[in-house]
Amino acid sequence: MSNRRARGFTLIEILVVVAIVGILSAIALPAYRDYVTRARLTEAFSGLGSVPTAAEDYWNSSSPHTYDGFDRLPQNSANFTFTLSGATASAYTVTATGAGPVAGFIYTIDQN
């Protein structure tokens, strides 16, 4: 009889490892996707956050005071397109529309 030990993994050990990796990836991948989506949404929030200051600067520098002609929008990005609608003497609305991975997300900001 030889005293040599068999080397390697049993089928059960391999199946346990595969099951553990499968469970971890089932939890980690959706969480990672949600994290990436939330990071992309900050482009819309920061872009729309700069609009009220620019609009008020325009309103204060125009005579008579009006938002009509306001056109200083945030720069479009790979994830969001910014559009101005309804700029009148007393109102404006800026919309950030998602594209690509954040398609379907729409945020707006107005003079209020």
Side-chain angles (χ1 to χ4, degrees):
M1 293 248 272
S2 87
N3 287 335
R4 292 178 47 193
R5 272 182 75 169
R7 295 181 186 219
F9 298 106
T10 65
L11 182 59
I12 298 295
E13 291 171 331
I14 292 173
L15 289 176
V16 168
V17 170
V18 168
I20 291 171
V21 169
I23 291 169
L24 289 176
S25 65
I27 294 169
L29 287 178
Y32 176 73
R33 270 195 303 265
D34 291 344
Y35 175 78
V36 170
T37 299
R38 285 193 314 264
R40 288 182 174 141
L41 295 180
T42 60
E43 290 179 26
F45 303 147
S46 63
L48 290 176
S50 67
V51 170
T53 305
E56 293 307 313
D57 286 346
Y58 182 85
W59 188 81
N60 285 327
S61 64
S62 65
S63 182
H65 295 302
T66 181
Y67 294 115
D68 193 21
F70 171 68
D71 62 353
R72 290 186 280 177
L73 296 177
Q75 188 172 13
N76 293 338
S77 68
N79 296 311
F80 283 95
T81 302
F82 297 92
T83 55
L84 174 69
S85 60
T88 64
S90 61
Y92 67 88
T93 302
V94 177
T95 304
T97 305
V102 288
F105 286 91
I106 299 173
Y107 299 98
T108 60
I109 192 166
D110 60 19
Q111 74 285 349
N112 291 321

